[in-house]
Each structure stands twice: as C-alpha cells, then as structure tokens.
Amino acid sequence: MGSRTAVDAREIARGSGVPIRDLRADARALGRAEFEERHGRAFLLLSAADLSTPRPTITEVRLDGDPVTVRAESTASLSLVVYALRRNGRSAGHLITLGRAPENDVVVPDVSISRFHAFVKQDANGGWLVQDAGSTNGTTVNGNSVPRQGHGPAAELTPGDDVRLGQVELTFLDGEGLVSFALRLER
C-alpha cells in the first residue's frame, strides 16, 4: 500500500507528463507514424528537478571578506518530463488546453501556472500555434510574449522553441525530434 501511495504522489507531481525514459522503448521499436499514433505528434519537454521535490536551487556561498571564493551547488537531480500536446477528452472544444487544473488536456502542476493558462492548436498546414488564455504570469515563445486570446495572433511553434508558461521553461518538439532526443540519451 505504501508504494502505491508514493507512485500516486509522483504521478500527481508530474501532472500529465511522463518521464522520457518511459518512451525510449517505443522510440527504439516503433516507426515514426506508429510512435506518433501512440504518443502524439507534438510535445513539450521539461528539464527540471524531479517534480515531486522542491525546485532546484543554486546556493552561492561567500566567505566573509572574500568576494572571490564562491561555491555553487545544485540541490536537485535532473529529470526529463514529456507532455504530449494532444486532446485527452478533459477539456471542451477543439483546442488543446494547458494549465494547472486537472480539467486541462496538458496538466503542469506548478503554482506559477494558471488553472487554465494557454492553449495549443494545429493550423491548416499542420503547424502548431500557442495562445495565452489570460493567465496571471503569461506565456512566452523564445522570450517573446504571446498575446492573450482576442488581443493578437497566436504564436507559431517550431521544433526547438523555448516555451515558458509562468515560471516553467519547456522545449517544443515534434515527434521526430522527441524520438531522436530520446535515442541520443541512451548513448
């Protein structure tokens, strides 16, 4: 019973994300179309501390009177979590919703992310667009603010783009990019 509770806590801490290690076997064994059918065509990759523990911090220690002596330590281990950008039936409408609340298609459990933070959709040409949903802490792509719905055009996403939801930094990848990245991690 205790181990089941621990698993549930880890799943809740990740939201709808899965560790990239869970996708490696399929990345190796499946063709691109089959991988995308099973897992999705677009993803947000989170490189962060294990989400079940506090965020990583860097501690700087200076000895009194010695501004040159600096020691920095990372206080958390790195983990890679993948969020598939696809509808899962939790939200209404044709958009893929992102936010902290469990009603979203993509759930990222971070206090800096609004309950309903942003949404993603595919355009007619198969490209991906992101729009802020009026979040408290905003959405950016490659450092540029994404307008709220009704206040400007959605931002285009291309593989490798940096996407920031609140204080959470993610990387946008298509299926091919995610498979390639997952396989490189095995080397």
Side-chain angles (χ1 to χ4, degrees), residues 20-186:
I20 197 166
R21 68 179 170 274
D22 291 358
L23 301 176
R24 285 187 194 145
D26 283 352
R28 237 185 345 269
L30 303 177
R32 179 177 173 190
E34 196 175 359
F35 181 89
E36 289 179 355
E37 177 69 27
R38 185 172 293 175
H39 299 289
R41 297 186 57 213
F43 305 89
L44 291 173
L45 178 66
L46 173 67
S47 304
D50 182 354
L51 293 179
S52 63
T53 60
R55 289 190 194 175
T57 59
I58 299 298
T59 304
E60 185 177 291
V61 179
R62 292 180 189 246
L63 300 176
D64 284 338
D66 187 3
V68 178
T69 306
V70 176
R71 182 174 171 225
E73 295 179 2
S74 176
T75 60
S77 61
L78 183 68
S79 66
L80 299 169
V81 178
V82 178
Y83 294 91
L85 294 177
R86 59 196 247 174
R87 292 202 26 78
N88 62 17
R90 291 182 186 158
S91 64
H94 68 284
L95 304 171
I96 300 166
T97 61
L98 295 86
R100 190 179 73 239
E103 298 82 23
N104 289 288
D105 296 306
V106 178
V107 179
V108 183
D110 187 274
V111 296
S112 72
I113 294 178
S114 295
R115 291 183 53 73
F116 174 49
H117 195 96
F119 57 87
V120 176
K121 65 180 179 179
Q122 253 188 311
D123 66 17
N125 299 320
W128 292 89
L129 303 170
V130 63
Q131 186 90 54
D132 188 79
S135 68
T136 301
N137 293 317
T139 303
T140 65
V141 174
N142 297 326
N144 298 312
S145 291
V146 174
R148 285 189 349 222
Q149 182 180 20
H151 293 272
E156 292 181 35
L157 293 171
T158 57
D161 280 349
D162 294 320
V163 178
R164 187 176 182 122
L165 304 173
Q167 298 301 311
V168 178
E169 295 181 27
L170 305 124
T171 302
F172 176 76
L173 294 173
D174 59 11
E176 182 178 351
L178 180 66
V179 167
S180 175
F181 184 71
L183 293 175
R184 276 190 305 224
L185 290 176
E186 289 187 330

